[in-house]
Amino acid sequence: MRFTSTPRGARLARRLVSHRLNDWGHPYTNPVNETLTLIAAELTTNAVRHGHVPGREFKLQLTLVEDTFRIEVTDTRGEKQPPSTPPTPDSASESGRGLLLVAALADDWGVAPRPAAPGKTVWAELRVPAGGHPRPHGVAPRPADSASAYGRDTESFPATP
């Protein structure tokens, strides 16, 4: 689904992820819902803050293939790429921790160029075993090769009223 590249658009995208996960059997207070909603919040906020182009929207896609959820946020600003390893922010800084959170919570994440148009897609994956809980993370993983394609069948979720 596409959203305006504004703080309100990021907030609506985050809420849509949470509602969709609830519809898919992961209630609002479930660790899967909370984790994926936080990842979506960080990625959509970054799209608004760092990927904003006036008059352009960002796109959010949530997919589930087998036991892996994937969140993709696509913006139209290709020249501003996130670092492959999130920098450690100054302890006095009030921002700059979004990708650190994504790296700590997701099983994998990365960035890929937007095909056939300017921009990029920042994505994160979370594997959910049969028990329905994400695996705990001890150390933030490094992003995988972001040039690799996500070669699985996926389906965008439709807008909900």
Side-chain angles (χ1 to χ4, degrees), residues 1 12-28 33 36-37 60-64 69 155-161:
M1 184 169 188
L12 291 173
R14 180 191 73 233
R15 291 183 64 192
L16 183 61
V17 166
S18 184
H19 290 308
R20 181 57 49 157
L21 290 166
N22 183 64
D23 291 346
W24 288 353
H26 297 279
Y28 298 112
N33 192 311
L36 287 167
T37 300
L60 170 78
Q61 183 170 321
L62 174 67
T63 55
L64 172 61
F69 283 98
E155 179 180 16
S156 295
F157 55 93
T160 55

Tab-separated table of all heavy atoms in Angstrom, residues 1 12-28 33 36-37 60-64 69 155-161:
chain	number	residue	atom	x	y	z
A	1	MET	N	0.847	-1.169	0.000
A	1	MET	CA	0.000	0.000	0.000
A	1	MET	C	0.893	1.233	0.000
A	1	MET	O	1.981	1.225	0.567
A	1	MET	CB	-0.887	-0.032	1.242
A	1	MET	CG	-1.876	1.075	1.292
A	1	MET	SD	-3.065	0.771	2.609
A	1	MET	CE	-4.181	2.077	2.265
A	12	LEU	N	0.160	5.726	9.970
A	12	LEU	CA	-0.888	4.879	9.387
A	12	LEU	C	-0.313	3.554	8.884
A	12	LEU	O	-0.941	2.499	9.037
A	12	LEU	CB	-1.588	5.627	8.254
A	12	LEU	CG	-2.448	6.812	8.675
A	12	LEU	CD1	-2.934	7.573	7.444
A	12	LEU	CD2	-3.611	6.355	9.536
A	13	ALA	N	0.871	3.588	8.300
A	13	ALA	CA	1.511	2.362	7.820
A	13	ALA	C	1.797	1.417	8.987
A	13	ALA	O	1.545	0.210	8.905
A	13	ALA	CB	2.797	2.705	7.073
A	14	ARG	N	2.324	1.959	10.070
A	14	ARG	CA	2.610	1.143	11.257
A	14	ARG	C	1.332	0.511	11.791
A	14	ARG	O	1.288	-0.672	12.109
A	14	ARG	CB	3.258	2.025	12.327
A	14	ARG	CG	3.591	1.264	13.599
A	14	ARG	CD	3.976	2.195	14.726
A	14	ARG	NE	2.804	2.890	15.223
A	14	ARG	CZ	2.690	4.205	15.343
A	14	ARG	NH1	3.666	5.011	15.002
A	14	ARG	NH2	1.588	4.738	15.816
A	15	ARG	N	0.265	1.291	11.866
A	15	ARG	CA	-1.014	0.758	12.367
A	15	ARG	C	-1.571	-0.311	11.445
A	15	ARG	O	-2.126	-1.303	11.909
A	15	ARG	CB	-2.014	1.898	12.535
A	15	ARG	CG	-1.619	2.819	13.688
A	15	ARG	CD	-2.622	3.905	13.916
A	15	ARG	NE	-3.885	3.301	14.329
A	15	ARG	CZ	-5.020	3.958	14.377
A	15	ARG	NH1	-5.063	5.228	14.038
A	15	ARG	NH2	-6.120	3.356	14.771
A	16	LEU	N	-1.420	-0.115	10.136
A	16	LEU	CA	-1.906	-1.115	9.196
A	16	LEU	C	-1.172	-2.441	9.371
A	16	LEU	O	-1.783	-3.506	9.337
A	16	LEU	CB	-1.762	-0.618	7.752
A	16	LEU	CG	-2.306	-1.570	6.692
A	16	LEU	CD1	-3.801	-1.802	6.871
A	16	LEU	CD2	-2.016	-1.041	5.310
A	17	VAL	N	0.145	-2.387	9.589
A	17	VAL	CA	0.918	-3.611	9.833
A	17	VAL	C	0.376	-4.323	11.073
A	17	VAL	O	0.129	-5.536	11.062
A	17	VAL	CB	2.421	-3.305	9.974
A	17	VAL	CG1	3.184	-4.493	10.557
A	17	VAL	CG2	3.004	-2.926	8.623
A	18	SER	N	0.175	-3.588	12.143
A	18	SER	CA	-0.321	-4.187	13.376
A	18	SER	C	-1.696	-4.817	13.189
A	18	SER	O	-1.948	-5.937	13.639
A	18	SER	CB	-0.359	-3.131	14.488
A	18	SER	OG	-0.746	-3.714	15.704
A	19	HIS	N	-2.591	-4.111	12.503
A	19	HIS	CA	-3.935	-4.646	12.251
A	19	HIS	C	-3.877	-5.881	11.358
A	19	HIS	O	-4.587	-6.857	11.600
A	19	HIS	CB	-4.830	-3.584	11.606
A	19	HIS	CG	-5.205	-2.465	12.525
A	19	HIS	ND1	-5.748	-2.645	13.774
A	19	HIS	CD2	-5.100	-1.126	12.363
A	19	HIS	CE1	-5.973	-1.484	14.343
A	19	HIS	NE2	-5.582	-0.534	13.507
A	20	ARG	N	-3.045	-5.832	10.327
A	20	ARG	CA	-2.949	-6.973	9.410
A	20	ARG	C	-2.410	-8.199	10.142
A	20	ARG	O	-2.909	-9.305	9.971
A	20	ARG	CB	-2.051	-6.610	8.221
A	20	ARG	CG	-1.912	-7.698	7.201
A	20	ARG	CD	-3.240	-8.148	6.632
A	20	ARG	NE	-3.991	-6.988	6.234
A	20	ARG	CZ	-4.956	-6.968	5.351
A	20	ARG	NH1	-5.275	-8.058	4.717
A	20	ARG	NH2	-5.602	-5.860	5.078
A	21	LEU	N	-1.399	-8.022	10.982
A	21	LEU	CA	-0.847	-9.142	11.745
A	21	LEU	C	-1.895	-9.712	12.692
A	21	LEU	O	-1.989	-10.931	12.866
A	21	LEU	CB	0.396	-8.701	12.513
A	21	LEU	CG	1.607	-8.407	11.629
A	21	LEU	CD1	2.673	-7.666	12.429
A	21	LEU	CD2	2.166	-9.681	11.024
A	22	ASN	N	-2.686	-8.839	13.300
A	22	ASN	CA	-3.773	-9.314	14.151
A	22	ASN	C	-4.748	-10.161	13.332
A	22	ASN	O	-5.165	-11.241	13.769
A	22	ASN	CB	-4.498	-8.131	14.798
A	22	ASN	CG	-5.587	-8.571	15.744
A	22	ASN	OD1	-5.318	-9.204	16.761
A	22	ASN	ND2	-6.824	-8.257	15.410
A	23	ASP	N	-5.091	-9.694	12.125
A	23	ASP	CA	-5.980	-10.450	11.244
A	23	ASP	C	-5.379	-11.794	10.851
A	23	ASP	O	-6.104	-12.758	10.610
A	23	ASP	CB	-6.293	-9.659	9.968
A	23	ASP	CG	-7.154	-8.441	10.225
A	23	ASP	OD1	-7.748	-8.329	11.326
A	23	ASP	OD2	-7.217	-7.565	9.330
A	24	TRP	N	-4.047	-11.854	10.754
A	24	TRP	CA	-3.352	-13.087	10.361
A	24	TRP	C	-3.086	-14.018	11.546
A	24	TRP	O	-2.352	-14.978	11.427
A	24	TRP	CB	-2.036	-12.753	9.666
A	24	TRP	CG	-2.193	-12.193	8.287
A	24	TRP	CD1	-3.331	-12.079	7.557
A	24	TRP	CD2	-1.143	-11.663	7.471
A	24	TRP	NE1	-3.062	-11.500	6.336
A	24	TRP	CE2	-1.721	-11.239	6.262
A	24	TRP	CE3	0.225	-11.498	7.657
A	24	TRP	CZ2	-0.980	-10.677	5.233
A	24	TRP	CZ3	0.963	-10.933	6.643
A	24	TRP	CH2	0.364	-10.529	5.438
A	25	GLY	N	-3.644	-13.706	12.719
A	25	GLY	CA	-3.510	-14.609	13.860
A	25	GLY	C	-2.403	-14.267	14.832
A	25	GLY	O	-2.064	-15.077	15.694
A	26	HIS	N	-1.841	-13.074	14.736
A	26	HIS	CA	-0.813	-12.615	15.678
A	26	HIS	C	-1.379	-11.403	16.407
A	26	HIS	O	-1.238	-10.273	15.944
A	26	HIS	CB	0.487	-12.272	14.942
A	26	HIS	CG	1.091	-13.441	14.256
A	26	HIS	ND1	1.859	-14.370	14.921
A	26	HIS	CD2	1.003	-13.872	12.979
A	26	HIS	CE1	2.247	-15.312	14.065
A	26	HIS	NE2	1.736	-15.031	12.890
A	27	PRO	N	-2.046	-11.625	17.557
A	27	PRO	CA	-2.727	-10.540	18.272
A	27	PRO	C	-1.801	-9.377	18.610
A	27	PRO	O	-0.582	-9.520	18.650
A	27	PRO	CB	-3.226	-11.220	19.553
A	27	PRO	CG	-3.235	-12.674	19.246
A	27	PRO	CD	-2.154	-12.901	18.238
A	28	TYR	N	-2.403	-8.247	18.897
A	28	TYR	CA	-1.663	-7.001	19.131
A	28	TYR	C	-0.578	-7.127	20.196
A	28	TYR	O	0.474	-6.542	20.061
A	28	TYR	CB	-2.629	-5.881	19.514
A	28	TYR	CG	-3.621	-5.564	18.423
A	28	TYR	CD1	-4.971	-5.853	18.580
A	28	TYR	CD2	-3.202	-4.990	17.229
A	28	TYR	CE1	-5.878	-5.567	17.568
A	28	TYR	CE2	-4.103	-4.709	16.217
A	28	TYR	CZ	-5.435	-5.003	16.392
A	28	TYR	OH	-6.320	-4.726	15.398
A	33	ASN	N	3.701	-9.541	16.605
A	33	ASN	CA	3.041	-8.296	16.229
A	33	ASN	C	3.834	-7.100	16.733
A	33	ASN	O	4.095	-6.152	15.981
A	33	ASN	CB	1.613	-8.272	16.779
A	33	ASN	CG	0.775	-7.153	16.204
A	33	ASN	OD1	1.193	-6.002	16.170
A	33	ASN	ND2	-0.418	-7.491	15.761
A	36	LEU	N	7.280	-6.818	14.682
A	36	LEU	CA	7.112	-6.370	13.298
A	36	LEU	C	6.547	-4.952	13.216
A	36	LEU	O	6.906	-4.190	12.316
A	36	LEU	CB	6.240	-7.349	12.524
A	36	LEU	CG	6.931	-8.662	12.187
A	36	LEU	CD1	5.925	-9.704	11.718
A	36	LEU	CD2	8.000	-8.448	11.131
A	37	THR	N	5.696	-4.583	14.154
A	37	THR	CA	5.171	-3.222	14.172
A	37	THR	C	6.287	-2.226	14.471
A	37	THR	O	6.359	-1.157	13.845
A	37	THR	CB	4.021	-3.104	15.194
A	37	THR	OG1	2.975	-4.004	14.814
A	37	THR	CG2	3.471	-1.690	15.250
A	60	LEU	N	4.657	0.439	1.291
A	60	LEU	CA	4.894	-0.579	2.303
A	60	LEU	C	4.319	-1.893	1.808
A	60	LEU	O	3.199	-1.928	1.296
A	60	LEU	CB	4.214	-0.192	3.621
A	60	LEU	CG	4.189	-1.266	4.686
A	60	LEU	CD1	5.540	-1.352	5.375
A	60	LEU	CD2	3.101	-0.993	5.701
A	61	GLN	N	5.087	-2.953	1.951
A	61	GLN	CA	4.597	-4.282	1.600
A	61	GLN	C	4.955	-5.229	2.737
A	61	GLN	O	6.092	-5.239	3.217
A	61	GLN	CB	5.232	-4.763	0.298
A	61	GLN	CG	4.709	-6.119	-0.150
A	61	GLN	CD	5.161	-6.457	-1.547
A	61	GLN	OE1	5.203	-5.597	-2.418
A	61	GLN	NE2	5.507	-7.693	-1.771
A	62	LEU	N	3.978	-5.993	3.179
A	62	LEU	CA	4.174	-7.003	4.205
A	62	LEU	C	3.808	-8.338	3.597
A	62	LEU	O	2.710	-8.484	3.049
A	62	LEU	CB	3.287	-6.710	5.428
A	62	LEU	CG	3.277	-7.762	6.533
A	62	LEU	CD1	4.645	-7.839	7.211
A	62	LEU	CD2	2.194	-7.434	7.556
A	63	THR	N	4.717	-9.295	3.685
A	63	THR	CA	4.445	-10.623	3.130
A	63	THR	C	4.812	-11.685	4.153
A	63	THR	O	5.640	-11.458	5.042
A	63	THR	CB	5.229	-10.875	1.830
A	63	THR	OG1	6.614	-10.666	2.075
A	63	THR	CG2	4.778	-9.960	0.715
A	64	LEU	N	4.196	-12.837	3.994
A	64	LEU	CA	4.522	-14.003	4.800
A	64	LEU	C	4.714	-15.163	3.835
A	64	LEU	O	3.813	-15.505	3.070
A	64	LEU	CB	3.398	-14.327	5.789
A	64	LEU	CG	3.540	-15.633	6.565
A	64	LEU	CD1	4.806	-15.627	7.425
A	64	LEU	CD2	2.306	-15.867	7.428
A	69	PHE	N	8.275	-13.536	7.850
A	69	PHE	CA	7.620	-12.273	7.512
A	69	PHE	C	8.666	-11.371	6.881
A	69	PHE	O	9.822	-11.351	7.290
A	69	PHE	CB	7.085	-11.577	8.766
A	69	PHE	CG	5.827	-12.164	9.292
A	69	PHE	CD1	5.864	-13.062	10.347
A	69	PHE	CD2	4.602	-11.820	8.752
A	69	PHE	CE1	4.704	-13.606	10.852
A	69	PHE	CE2	3.432	-12.361	9.242
A	69	PHE	CZ	3.482	-13.261	10.311
A	155	GLU	N	2.678	-11.489	-1.896
A	155	GLU	CA	1.427	-10.838	-2.230
A	155	GLU	C	1.300	-9.583	-1.401
A	155	GLU	O	1.466	-9.629	-0.190
A	155	GLU	CB	0.282	-11.809	-1.900
A	155	GLU	CG	-1.074	-11.260	-2.169
A	155	GLU	CD	-2.157	-12.267	-1.811
A	155	GLU	OE1	-1.877	-13.234	-1.110
A	155	GLU	OE2	-3.279	-12.055	-2.258
A	156	SER	N	1.042	-8.475	-2.041
A	156	SER	CA	0.814	-7.238	-1.301
A	156	SER	C	-0.519	-7.348	-0.586
A	156	SER	O	-1.433	-7.989	-1.079
A	156	SER	CB	0.762	-6.048	-2.249
A	156	SER	OG	2.002	-5.865	-2.865
A	157	PHE	N	-0.618	-6.732	0.577
A	157	PHE	CA	-1.882	-6.791	1.266
A	157	PHE	C	-2.741	-5.620	0.846
A	157	PHE	O	-2.251	-4.527	0.643
A	157	PHE	CB	-1.716	-6.881	2.786
A	157	PHE	CG	-0.889	-5.781	3.382
A	157	PHE	CD1	-1.483	-4.645	3.858
A	157	PHE	CD2	0.482	-5.920	3.491
A	157	PHE	CE1	-0.732	-3.648	4.430
A	157	PHE	CE2	1.235	-4.926	4.062
A	157	PHE	CZ	0.621	-3.777	4.522
A	158	PRO	N	-4.024	-5.858	0.664
A	158	PRO	CA	-4.913	-4.782	0.229
A	158	PRO	C	-5.205	-3.821	1.372
A	158	PRO	O	-5.040	-4.157	2.545
A	158	PRO	CB	-6.182	-5.529	-0.187
A	158	PRO	CG	-6.164	-6.779	0.621
A	158	PRO	CD	-4.712	-7.136	0.793
A	159	ALA	N	-5.649	-2.662	0.995
A	159	ALA	CA	-6.021	-1.663	1.988
A	159	ALA	C	-7.223	-2.153	2.767
A	159	ALA	O	-8.103	-2.822	2.230
A	159	ALA	CB	-6.357	-0.339	1.306
A	160	THR	N	-7.258	-1.834	4.040
A	160	THR	CA	-8.404	-2.174	4.858
A	160	THR	C	-9.097	-0.892	5.263
A	160	THR	O	-8.448	0.129	5.438
A	160	THR	CB	-7.984	-2.955	6.117
A	160	THR	OG1	-7.011	-2.201	6.810
A	160	THR	CG2	-7.424	-4.315	5.760
A	161	PRO	N	-10.397	-0.933	5.410
A	161	PRO	CA	-11.114	0.292	5.783
A	161	PRO	C	-10.763	0.748	7.176
A	161	PRO	O	-10.332	0.028	7.994
A	161	PRO	CB	-12.569	-0.090	5.687
A	161	PRO	CG	-12.646	-1.559	5.619
A	161	PRO	CD	-11.287	-2.058	5.252
